């Protein structure tokens, strides 16, 4: 069992990080913390992908002329993660700009408070 | 290869490039025209594609680049894809022309260009979701849809709309996280991202009987992610707020099209990757069925209590989306057909209701029921659109909603134990629909107080708006009376799409 | 080698928990920055230099900068409120 | 590293967090704002419903009468009067319902996460081993990328070859995400005719240093972009470095200085033209490839700068898009004059 855990360490850590990010996104009322949780979640999946692309003793895929193809690691997860990182930074920027607008309006970063205030606003107008 | 085969790529690129070009324009009003022309072109192209493929009775894959499919990307199109993209283009075009005035009045002129840009990107994304044949491409475009739609929600710039946008974005990010994790697990297991190769690999796993748990979990994660994104019942909290605070165009497109884009991907997952074995044997279909049933009832009950017209329609959307989940959950070919038909009917009907409601709201400047009393007399066409749409969703015969319900009922009759709950849900939710739509219709046609008599004169609405509303009305009646043609087309398309059940 | 990997992984988990539990936002962002930097190191160990460079530039650099700027802007708003209160006093 | 900054100790805090006593802010409020809100919730539980602003104003009046302190309220502009809810309508806020709901929500989400974690652990144990040589992902797709990638794309770096040649459609979608995010942020945060804040330019030493440092970073960014198909790097990482250099420049030289050269309009134009160029180039290769026209771009000899057909200009386009987007984010996020 312990050996298996050691063997799958990257996967396990990424699952753990995913859970931490997930629970933060769900539970923490602070918007900035929520965004951090979101980032944790995304990077954990990237770690998962990057770990699965690795091969024992493989090299980075900079292909030399006439070399054996089996000596490199799998390039596909790398490409996927690159795409994912860019997507993550875009959503983070969008999230942060929304947060800023909300703070300007409601003077709070606490989503529960903001939701309450917004609800009040609706009932009155 | 004839020119027909290039239409999917042409339409996606044309839409995205036209969107990207918008910052080069100076005047916002020209931008709307430009966007409409592009939508008209793409719609015509899709119609051509649909007719051509349907008469040839074939589907094809389109290789992107010099390398064939498992290595490169590819697009896939058949009659069903052609039909869907035609309907989407139509709804997009009509939503733009039907709410042109409220668009110009709701959004500040210097933002109008960028708003149209994001709309256009969203439209290109939806097309790409329809045509894609690759899991990761689907993920990327799902993200584009999330980013663009978020701003469409917040375009009106009130505090409420920004709150709803941030909730929308949160749910979406959660959904894409789960979806991406599902993709990652599936990729670790199979090493493929293309639908057809994935299907083969999954079949091999099923034959050998190993790694069943990871397969099921990945299917579950992806289904969960997509149902969060499409505002299915337990995750629908963001939808009413998002609708109530968005402009009419945004609402029509958000509810009419965007939610369907995710469902199309879900359908592709079910049919093209996992197939009936994983879906039915692992109770995933039953999960979808239960989600659908719960959503139909809960969302309808919630709609009863709403005091704002748009919130009510939003809850009704959530209920209608649940119909699609229910028919997907039946796990049969007929269920798939019913789901597609409901998708098309709902896209046309819901955008009509939103446009009608938007016209009335603009007419009386208020969106609570109290303020809307007698609104339909002021804006007769809007009132008629709302009425016909509402009655159609209640399942009055000769209207489109009835034929969709008929298809779902047919599919349910074919199933075994799912028959009773599905039919019960259908009947109960029809009654609930009637319970909130009919009072609403009575309110909008009701008489105002006698001292406001002079305000009864109908307000004239723009020619374009009239045309859009009448066209949608025509579509609704047509689908209600003669749905055979569309149904055959979907059947042909699904047959080409892959066999299920 | 495996010892180093384990150390980095444990550090990652530690950083993740710390950044969530930290009460001051500024320090939790700094910890998040450290997390990203360690993540890029891990990817370097996994023989993906492309990812490592991108994560170091985007994750540790850009994302944290955006967080800092947002926080700065928010603090500025807070500061203004306090200033107003002070002038009234 | 940061463990020593708090006197509570991590262990206790984790315990506290795990038992969810932290969120019960009534006993130990972290935040005066939160405390006030808690009090407000209790008030509307006990009395009747009023608006938060009205509540704060009422508290302010009370404190003033008692002579305790001056207001901290920013709702003082127009004092709203407490509104009673219409009669006949029952209040939704029963005693402590909201807090109970919040608690249930928290417990439920922790439970859900635990279940997800457990299931995922089981899944991970069944997955192919980490680093295994015979993993299922190691199939003909990877083989072709690694074996023939060098000839087919003319790129030494297989990842660049993959994302810009084999799976170029995904990368196109990704550039669209970036563009959409930039436009969305502009929509949300830019108010027209808003002056850029004239920051005080950094001190002399920094300025002198930046004279030497900036060109090096810029050069490095361009190097990473242009040699993306030969060495690790490429459009995304190089673009991010380039963006970082621009941000550094506006930090040190003042945002106004850089903003005069790179106006927002110009930045948008550069992004638009890069994206259009990318679309046109990729459209050419998609179209010719799909219709089997031939007309391939000569790939040149792999390993040289001018090789790999469209790879070099594509990388440049992607790099420019990323750099411009990052710079746009920065300019929109820096504090502005009137705030």
């Amino acid at each position: 069992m312990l050996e298996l855990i050691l063997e799958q360490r990257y996967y396990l850590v990424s699952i753990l990080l995913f859970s931490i990010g997930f629970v933060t996104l769900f539970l923490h009322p602070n918007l900035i913390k929520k965004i951090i949780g979101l980032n944790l979640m995304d990077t954990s999946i990237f770690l998962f992908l990057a770990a699965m692309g690795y091969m024992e003793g493989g090299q980075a895929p900079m292909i030399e002329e006439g070399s054996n193809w089996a000596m490199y690691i799998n390039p596909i997860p790398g490409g996927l993660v690159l795409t994912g990182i860019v997507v993550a930074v875009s959503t983070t920027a969008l999230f942060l700009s929304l947060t800023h607008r909300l703070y300007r309006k409601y003077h709070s970063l606490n989503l529960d408070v903001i939701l309450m205030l917004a609800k009040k606003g609706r009932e009155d107008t | 290869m004839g020119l027909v085969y290039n239409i999917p790529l042409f339409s996606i690129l044309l839409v995205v490039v036209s969107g990207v070009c918008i910052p080069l324009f100076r005047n916002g009003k020209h931008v709307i025209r430009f966007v409409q022309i592009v939508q008209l072109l793409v719609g015509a192209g899709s119609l051509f594609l649909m007719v051509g493929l349907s008469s040839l009775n074939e589907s094809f894959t389109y290789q992107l680049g010099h390398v064939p499919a498992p290595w490169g990307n590819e697009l896939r199109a058949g009659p069903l894809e052609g039909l869907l993209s035609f309907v989407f283009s139509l709804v997009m075009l009509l939503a733009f022309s039907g709410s042109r005035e409220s668009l110009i009045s709701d959004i500040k002129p210097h933002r109008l260009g960028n708003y149209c840009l994001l709309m256009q990107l969203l439209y290109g994304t939806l097309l790409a979701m329809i045509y894609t044949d690759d899991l990761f491409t689907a993920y990327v475009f799902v993200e584009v849809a999330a980013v663009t739609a978020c701003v469409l929600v917040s375009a009106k710039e009130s505090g409420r709309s920004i709150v709803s946008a941030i909730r929308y974005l949160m749910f979406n990010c959660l959904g894409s996280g789960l979806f991406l994790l599902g993709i990652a697990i599936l990729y670790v297991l199979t090493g493929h991202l293309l639908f057809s190769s994935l299907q083969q690999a999954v079949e091999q796993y099923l034959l050998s009987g190993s790694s069943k748990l990871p397969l099921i979990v990945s299917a579950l994660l992806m289904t969960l992610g997509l149902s969060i994104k499409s505002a299915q019942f337990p995750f629908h909290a963001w939808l009413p707020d998002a609708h109530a605070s968005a402009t009419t165009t945004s609402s029509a497109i958000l509810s009419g099209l965007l939610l369907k884009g995710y469902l199309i991907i879900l359908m592709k997952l079910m049919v093209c990757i996992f197939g009936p074995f994983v879906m039915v044997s692992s109770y995933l279909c039953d999960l979808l069925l239960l989600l659908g049933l719960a959503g139909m009832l809960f969302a309808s009950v919630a709609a009863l209590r709403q005091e704002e017209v748009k919130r009510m329609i939003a809850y009704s959307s959530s209920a209608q989306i649940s119909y699609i989940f229910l028919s997907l959950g039946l796990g049969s070919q007929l269920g798939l057909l019913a789901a597609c038909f409901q998708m098309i009917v709902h896209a046309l009907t819901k955008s009509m209701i939103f446009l009608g409601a938007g016209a009335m709201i603009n007419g009386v400047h208020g969106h609570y029921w109290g303020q809307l009393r007698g609104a339909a007399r002021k804006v007769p066409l809007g009132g008629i659109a709302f009425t016909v749409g509402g009655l159609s969703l209640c399942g009055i015969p000769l209207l489109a909603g009835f034929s969709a319900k008929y298809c779902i009922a047919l599919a349910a009759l074919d199933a075994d134990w799912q028959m009773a709950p599905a039919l019960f849900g259908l009947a109960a939710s029809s009654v609930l629909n009637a319970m909130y739509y009919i009072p609403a219709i009575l309110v909008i046609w009701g008489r105002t107080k006698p001292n406001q008599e002079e305000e009864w004169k109908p307000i004239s609405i723009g020619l374009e708006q009239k045309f859009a509303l009448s066209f949608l009305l025509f579509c609704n009646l047509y689908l209600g009376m003669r749905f055979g043609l569309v149904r055959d087309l979907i059947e042909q398309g699904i047959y080409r799409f892959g066999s299920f059940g | 080698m495996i010892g180093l990997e384990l150390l980095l992984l444990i550090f990652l988990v530690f950083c993740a928990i710390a950044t969530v539990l930290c009460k001051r936002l500024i320090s939790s962002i700094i910890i998040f920055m450290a997390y990203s930097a360690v993540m890029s190191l891990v990817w370097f160990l996994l023989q993906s230099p492309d990812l490592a460079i991108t994560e170091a530039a985007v994750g540790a650099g850009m994302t944290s900068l955006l967080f800092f700027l947002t926080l700065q802007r928010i603090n500025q708003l807070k500061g203004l409120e306090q200033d107003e209160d002070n002038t009234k006093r | 590293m940061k463990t020593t900054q708090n006197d509570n100790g991590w262990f206790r805090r984790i315990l506290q967090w795990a038992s969810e006593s932290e969120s019960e802010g009534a006993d130990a409020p972290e935040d005066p704002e939160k405390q006030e809100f808690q009090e407000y919730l209790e008030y509307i539980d006990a009395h009747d419903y009023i608006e938060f602003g009205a509540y704060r104003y009422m508290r302010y009046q009370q404190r003033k009468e008692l002579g305790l302190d001056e207001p901290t309220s920013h709702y003082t502009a127009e004092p709203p009067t407490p509104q009673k809810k219409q009669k006949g309508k029952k209040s939704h806020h029963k005693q402590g319902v909201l807090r109970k709901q919040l608690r249930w929500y928290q417990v439920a989400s922790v439970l859900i996460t635990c279940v997800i974690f457990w299931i995922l652990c089981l899944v991970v144990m069944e997955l192919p081993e980490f680093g295994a040589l015979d993993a299922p992902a190691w199939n003909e797709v990877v083989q072709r990328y690694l074996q023939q990638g060098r000839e087919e794309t003319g790129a030494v770096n297989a990842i660049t070859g993959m994302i810009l040649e084999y799976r170029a459609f995904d990368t196109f979608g990704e550039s669209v995400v970036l563009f959409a995010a930039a436009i969305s942020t502009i929509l949300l945060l830019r108010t027209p005719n808003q002056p850029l804040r004239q920051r005080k330019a950094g001190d002399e030493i920094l300025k002198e240093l930046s004279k030497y440092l900036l060109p090096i970073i810029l050069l490095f960014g361009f190097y990473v972009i242009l040699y993306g198909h030969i060495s690790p790097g490429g459009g995304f990482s190089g673009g991010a470095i380039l963006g970082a250099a621009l941000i550094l420049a506006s930090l040190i030289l003042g945002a106004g200085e850089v903003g005069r050269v790179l106006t927002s309009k110009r930045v948008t134009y550069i992004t638009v033209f890069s994206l259009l160029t990318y679309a046109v180039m990729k459209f050419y290769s998609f179209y010719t490839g799909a219709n089997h026209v031939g007309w391939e771009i000569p790939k040149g000899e792999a390993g040289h700068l001018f090789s790999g057909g469209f790879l070099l200009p594509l990388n440049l386009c992607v790099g420019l898009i990323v750099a411009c987007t990052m710079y746009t984010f920065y300019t929109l996020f820096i504090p502005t004059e009137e705030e």
Side-chain angles (χ1 to χ4, degrees):
Chain A
M1 189 66 194
L2 190 68
E3 220 161 71
L4 195 60
I5 288 176
L6 264 184
E7 194 61 55
Q8 307 284 53
R9 56 194 178 275
Y10 281 101
Y11 296 155
L12 281 175
V13 165
S14 60
I15 296 297
L16 192 58
L17 291 177
F18 182 84
S19 309
I20 294 172
F22 191 81
V23 85
T24 314
L25 188 60
F26 247 123
L27 266 189
H28 214 291
N30 190 312
L31 279 171
I32 301 265
K33 287 287 177 72
K34 270 186 199 291
I35 304 170
I36 288 179
L38 171 75
N39 270 298
L40 288 181
M41 212 166 89
D42 279 348
T43 38
S44 75
I45 303 172
F46 303 153
L47 178 66
F48 187 91
L49 276 169
M52 72 131 307
Y54 182 71
M55 191 192 69
E56 209 73 65
Q59 288 177 6
M62 305 292 136
I63 300 164
E64 313 234 330
E65 190 86 62
S67 57
N68 178 18
W69 67 278
M71 63 188 273
Y72 301 108
I73 67 159
N74 187 348
I76 297 178
L80 304 189
V81 174
L82 266 185
T83 310
I85 291 176
V86 173
V87 169
V89 77
S90 326
T91 38
T92 306
L94 192 55
F95 224 135
L96 282 172
S97 51
L98 281 172
T99 306
H100 175 251
R101 286 292 298 267
L102 275 185
Y103 191 84
R104 216 155 58 181
K105 186 107 190 161
Y106 294 109
H107 297 274
S108 171
L109 281 176
N110 188 322
L111 189 62
D112 298 339
V113 175
I114 291 172
L115 281 178
M116 285 292 290
L117 291 179
K119 222 176 196 173
K120 301 295 165 266
R122 181 172 66 228
E123 280 172 15
D124 289 328
T125 46
Chain B
M1 244 186 182
L3 197 65
V4 182
Y5 300 104
N6 287 310
I7 287 177
L9 175 70
F10 278 11
S11 47
I12 295 173
L13 273 183
L14 179 65
V15 170
V16 174
V17 164
S18 69
V20 170
C21 285
I22 286 176
L24 308 178
F25 279 78
R26 281 176 203 283
N27 191 330
K29 286 181 187 169
H30 297 320
V31 169
I32 298 184
R33 280 274 173 270
F34 174 66
V35 164
Q36 281 172 329
I37 289 169
V38 171
Q39 285 159 354
L40 197 65
L41 273 178
V42 172
S46 309
L47 187 65
F48 189 55
L49 177 77
M50 178 184 84
V51 172
L53 288 181
S54 155
S55 59
L56 289 173
N57 192 16
E58 65 165 15
S59 67
F60 65 93
T61 56
Y62 184 85
Q63 161 194 340
L64 290 172
H66 295 277
V67 196
W71 296 281
N73 290 116
E74 67 173 22
L75 298 175
R76 188 184 174 291
L80 181 62
E81 281 92 338
L83 177 64
L84 283 174
S85 70
F86 171 62
V87 171
F88 279 29
S89 314
L90 196 67
V91 171
M92 206 79 192
L93 180 64
L94 293 177
F96 258 96
S97 30
S99 58
R100 191 181 147 87
E101 280 145 32
S102 68
L103 196 65
I104 293 174
S105 68
D106 272 351
I107 296 172
K108 291 173 193 154
H110 65 273
R111 297 181 198 267
L112 194 58
N114 282 348
Y115 178 84
C116 290
L117 193 168
L118 290 169
M119 251 335 178
Q120 199 71 345
L121 290 186
L122 178 63
Y123 174 39
T125 302
L126 286 170
L127 289 180
M129 279 181 186
I130 293 175
Y131 288 123
T132 183
D133 202 16
D134 186 289
L135 206 47
F136 199 72
T137 316
Y139 167 74
V140 172
F141 282 100
V142 161
E143 287 287 345
V144 185
V147 169
T148 46
C150 166
V151 178
L152 299 187
V153 174
S154 68
K156 216 173 176 180
E157 312 238 327
S158 61
R160 237 173 104 196
S161 69
I162 294 172
V163 173
S164 55
I166 212 161
R167 288 186 88 187
Y168 167 77
L169 194 61
M170 232 177 73
F171 274 98
N172 253 297
C173 289
L174 203 64
S176 14
L178 292 176
F179 189 52
L180 186 60
L181 189 63
I183 293 176
I185 291 176
L186 201 60
Y187 182 70
V188 173
L189 280 180
T190 61
H192 284 288
L193 291 166
L194 194 77
F195 284 161
S196 52
S197 325
L198 274 171
Q199 190 176 22
Q200 285 171 8
V202 169
E203 261 171 24
Q204 271 180 7
Y205 268 111
L206 286 175
L207 285 180
S208 69
S210 61
S211 302
K212 203 152 181 221
L213 180 74
L215 267 184
I216 292 172
V217 169
S218 109
L220 187 71
L221 284 174
M222 286 198 258
T223 313
L224 214 60
L226 288 174
S227 45
I228 289 176
K229 279 169 168 282
S230 55
Q232 190 18 254
F233 156 62
F235 320 109
H236 67 281
W238 55 268
L239 186 74
D241 282 330
H243 275 296
S245 49
T247 69
T248 308
T249 323
S250 298
S251 312
I253 285 165
L254 203 64
S255 187
L257 301 184
L258 178 67
L259 303 181
K260 270 99 195 166
Y262 302 130
L263 286 172
I264 290 170
I265 292 178
L266 181 63
M267 212 168 75
K268 286 190 173 188
L269 285 184
M270 282 178 65
V271 181
C272 300
I273 299 179
F274 293 110
F277 296 112
V278 174
M279 294 308 282
V280 178
S281 70
S282 66
Y283 303 108
L284 262 178
C285 273
D286 300 341
L287 179 75
L288 286 182
L289 185 87
L290 285 181
L291 278 181
L293 261 180
M296 277 157 87
L297 300 178
F298 277 89
S300 301
V301 169
L304 282 174
R305 300 196 321 212
Q306 300 308 316
E307 289 160 9
E308 272 173 75
V309 54
K310 275 189 169 180
R311 284 178 75 82
M312 189 197 86
I313 308 174
Y315 274 109
S316 141
S317 286
S318 187
Q320 296 290 321
I321 294 285
S322 304
Y323 280 53
I324 303 175
F325 269 75
L326 179 96
S327 26
L328 285 178
L330 290 172
S332 64
Q333 196 86 1
L334 273 178
L336 223 56
L337 198 158
C340 289
F341 194 68
Q342 164 74 3
M343 231 182 255
I344 289 166
V345 165
H346 183 239
L348 289 166
T349 312
K350 204 32 74 76
S351 49
M352 179 169 80
I353 295 183
F354 266 119
L355 291 184
M360 287 193 291
I361 289 172
N362 261 17
V364 299
H365 303 290
H367 46 94
Y368 287 91
W369 291 122
Q371 296 160 311
L372 278 171
R373 180 164 285 278
R377 291 164 179 256
K378 276 182 134 183
V379 192
L381 200 56
I384 291 172
F386 185 86
T387 312
V388 171
L391 291 177
S392 146
L393 290 185
C394 301
I396 304 287
L398 296 184
L399 295 177
F402 173 73
S403 41
K405 282 186 183 167
Y406 173 71
C407 283
I408 298 174
L410 270 188
L413 283 176
D414 207 39
D416 25 296
W417 69 268
Q418 293 100 327
M419 182 178 88
L423 286 180
F424 165 73
L426 215 55
S429 101
S430 298
V431 171
L432 284 171
N433 277 350
M435 274 167 71
Y436 57 81
Y437 270 117
I438 288 176
I441 291 166
L442 290 180
V443 164
I444 58 167
W445 288 102
R447 286 175 187 278
T448 39
K449 286 167 201 152
N451 55 354
Q452 287 172 334
E453 206 155 327
E454 70 275 14
E455 285 186 27
W456 275 20
K457 286 177 248 149
I459 300 170
S460 70
I461 53 176
L463 191 66
E464 235 174 285
Q465 209 168 350
K466 272 182 194 160
F467 172 74
L469 286 171
S470 346
F471 194 85
L472 282 170
L473 275 171
F474 165 73
C475 285
N476 198 303
L477 289 173
Y478 179 78
L479 280 177
M481 293 187 219
R482 322 201 44 159
F483 58 92
L485 183 65
V486 178
R487 198 167 175 273
D488 289 346
L489 207 60
I490 296 173
E491 201 167 1
Q492 192 186 18
I494 289 178
Y495 179 67
R496 293 271 134 218
F497 201 62
S499 67
F500 189 78
Chain C
M1 196 59 187
I2 197 166
L4 179 63
E5 282 179 12
L6 277 181
L7 193 74
L8 287 178
L9 288 179
I10 290 168
F11 189 73
L12 270 184
V13 175
F14 174 77
C15 277
I17 294 174
T19 188
V20 172
L21 291 187
C22 207
K23 267 183 189 154
R24 287 182 61 199
L25 287 179
I26 189 95
S27 38
S28 86
I29 291 168
I30 291 170
I31 299 172
F32 178 71
M33 209 170 162
Y35 169 88
S36 294
V38 175
M39 187 62 99
S40 86
L41 209 62
V42 170
W43 286 344
F44 197 78
L45 285 184
L46 287 173
Q47 296 290 336
S48 324
D50 294 75
L51 299 189
I53 295 175
T54 314
E55 172 71 9
V58 174
M62 204 56 217
T63 311
S64 316
L65 183 75
L66 290 183
F67 273 120
F68 277 129
L69 288 172
T70 312
L71 217 59
Q72 193 189 1
R73 241 179 136 157
I74 284 169
N75 283 338
Q76 204 181 17
L77 282 174
K78 254 186 201 159
L80 266 187
E81 281 156 29
Q82 277 157 15
D83 286 349
E84 275 169 18
D85 293 341
N86 286 338
T87 46
K88 270 177 209 150
R89 212 164 272 178
Chain D
M1 35 177 271
K2 299 247 151 10
T3 44
T4 49
Q5 63 170 356
N6 209 298
D7 46 13
N8 259 349
W10 277 105
F11 185 63
R12 218 184 116 198
R13 296 234 331 246
I14 288 171
L15 272 185
Q16 232 179 25
W17 184 70
S19 62
E20 286 169 36
S21 57
E22 197 183 37
S23 54
E24 291 288 300
D27 310 321
E30 311 120 43
D31 203 349
E33 207 171 87
K34 200 172 172 182
Q35 187 192 7
E36 189 176 11
F37 193 69
Q38 290 279 0
E39 284 170 11
Y40 165 63
L41 288 183
E42 276 157 25
Y43 179 82
I44 57 171
D45 277 347
H47 297 76
D48 208 356
Y49 164 75
I50 57 168
E51 212 192 330
F52 188 48
Y55 170 76
R56 289 185 82 171
Y57 183 70
M58 190 188 70
R59 290 299 303 256
Y60 159 66
Q61 292 284 354
Q62 281 175 1
R63 271 184 307 219
K64 211 170 156 189
E65 276 169 28
L66 293 171
L68 275 180
D69 58 4
E70 284 290 309
T72 53
S73 167
H74 40 261
Y75 284 85
T76 42
E78 40 168 312
T81 46
Q83 293 174 336
K84 294 272 176 192
K85 265 202 147 183
Q86 307 107 306
K87 277 177 189 169
K89 241 185 179 181
K90 260 185 109 178
S91 169
H92 292 297
H93 300 280
K94 290 185 199 113
Q95 195 75 14
V97 166
L98 192 91
R99 278 169 81 185
K100 234 180 230 166
Q101 274 179 354
L102 273 178
R103 225 188 132 84
W104 270 112
Y105 173 71
Q106 288 173 344
V107 172
S109 50
V110 168
L111 272 181
I112 290 173
T113 317
C114 287
V115 171
I116 288 181
F117 178 67
W118 180 242
I119 293 176
L120 287 177
C121 278
L122 289 182
V123 168
V124 160
M125 290 304 169
E126 275 199 38
L127 288 184
E129 275 180 16
F130 165 72
L133 300 177
D134 54 348
W138 203 246
N139 53 18
E140 72 274 8
V141 182
V142 181
Q143 186 178 355
R144 175 155 176 181
Y145 286 168
L146 290 176
Q147 225 167 18
Q148 297 165 29
R150 198 178 151 111
E151 287 83 51
E152 277 181 358
T153 64
V156 174
N157 184 348
I159 293 183
T160 305
M162 190 195 105
I163 61 173
L164 290 179
E165 183 74 38
Y166 292 116
R167 303 185 63 90
F169 194 58
D170 292 354
T171 315
F172 179 60
E174 186 187 351
S175 319
V176 173
V177 177
L178 263 180
F179 183 65
I183 294 291
S184 316
T185 324
I186 288 176
L187 252 178
L188 282 169
L189 292 184
R190 180 171 293 160
T191 43
N193 310 320
Q194 177 189 45
L196 270 178
R197 191 159 115 124
Q198 294 295 319
R199 269 167 181 272
K200 277 177 280 171
D203 56 36
E204 286 303 308
I205 302 173
L206 268 181
K207 238 179 178 174
E208 278 301 306
L209 199 65
S210 72
K211 256 185 208 163
Y212 302 100
L213 202 61
L214 269 180
I216 294 175
I217 299 179
L218 277 175
L219 212 62
F220 180 62
F222 274 114
Y223 170 81
V224 172
I225 291 176
L226 294 180
Y227 279 76
H229 54 300
I230 300 173
S231 60
F236 291 110
S237 33
I241 295 171
L242 215 58
L246 288 177
I247 291 167
L248 197 68
S250 54
L251 272 176
I252 294 170
L253 304 174
E257 292 283 325
V258 183
R260 219 168 298 146
V261 185
L262 279 174
T263 54
S264 59
K265 210 164 204 170
R266 276 183 204 157
V267 174
T268 315
Y269 281 167
I270 293 174
T271 320
V272 167
F273 281 118
S274 307
L275 207 50
L276 285 182
T277 322
Y278 186 98
V280 167
M281 280 190 289
K282 257 4 266 190
F283 175 70
Y284 175 81
S285 58
F286 287 160
Y287 183 78
T288 54
N291 294 298
H292 304 292
V293 184
W295 298 352
E296 273 196 58
I297 307 299
K299 298 293 181 210
E301 197 180 328
H304 290 266
L305 178 58
F306 294 103
S307 65
F310 275 147
L311 286 186
L312 179 69
L314 284 178
N315 251 333
L316 196 63
C317 286
V318 173
L320 283 178
I321 295 170
V322 175
C324 289
T325 311
M326 297 294 162
Y327 182 68
T328 312
F329 284 157
Y330 171 75
T331 51
L332 292 171
F333 273 89
I334 46 172
T336 43
E337 199 67 84
E338 73 260 67
E339 278 174 8

